[in-house]
Each structure stands twice: as C-alpha cells, then as structure tokens.
Amino acid sequence: LIQHHLADTCVIHLEVAAHEAARRLAGDRSRPLLDGDLERSWGALADARLPLYRHLATHRVDTTRRTPQRIARHLTLLLKTA
C-alpha cells in the first residue's frame, strides 16, 4: 500500500551511523523510543526499520560526518538530477 502511494515520487532515506545518531541526540529527551543507551536503542530501531526504508527509497544519503550544510547541498544537487 505504501509503495502505491509513493509511485513516481522521489523518496530519500537519510542514513546515519548509530554512534553518530547517539552523539546528535545526546541530551534530547523528546524521543520516547530512545532510552538509556542511545547508540543501542537507535541501532535496534534502525535494524527493525532499515529494510523497509531501503526498499522504499529511490535515493540513500549517508549523513554520518556531514554538516547540515553539506547534506543540504548534496540533497539540492540530487533533487536537481532526480
């Protein structure tokens, strides 16, 4: 059903390594599914969701070790050619 709604749509999956996600989320208490060990809980969520995200994505972008500005530039170029 999801695939049908996303047909002919550009879907970009922004990937990040678990250690980088934990660093970015340190101190953020607004995410109830991430508790205690952020790297472990992020990794568990990613492992469960990653197959669907990768299946639906028309593009994948690794954001690990990239600044928001670099990610935005990369996405802008990607969307211009998509």
Side-chain angles (χ1 to χ4, degrees), residues 14-28 31 38 42 62-68 71:
L14 301 177
E15 297 182 339
V16 64
H19 70 275
E20 177 69 7
R23 184 190 68 77
R24 292 178 186 177
L25 295 168
D28 183 350
R31 298 176 183 257
L38 287 174
W42 177 271
D62 185 358
T63 66
T64 306
R65 291 185 300 276
R66 287 186 172 175
T67 65
I71 296 166

Side-chain angles (χ1 to χ4, degrees), residues 14 16-18 20-43 45-46 49 53 63:
L14 301 177
V16 64
E20 177 69 7
R23 184 190 68 77
R24 292 178 186 177
L25 295 168
D28 183 350
R29 302 289 176 237
S30 67
R31 298 176 183 257
L33 295 178
L34 300 176
D35 60 346
D37 183 341
L38 287 174
E39 190 169 342
R40 181 197 52 76
S41 57
W42 177 271
L45 282 173
R49 296 174 177 180
Y53 292 171
T63 66

Side-chain angles (χ1 to χ4, degrees), residues 61-77:
V61 175
D62 185 358
T63 66
T64 306
R65 291 185 300 276
R66 287 186 172 175
T67 65
Q69 294 80 12
R70 283 186 61 207
I71 296 166
R73 280 194 303 272
H74 182 82
L75 292 174
T76 300
L77 291 173

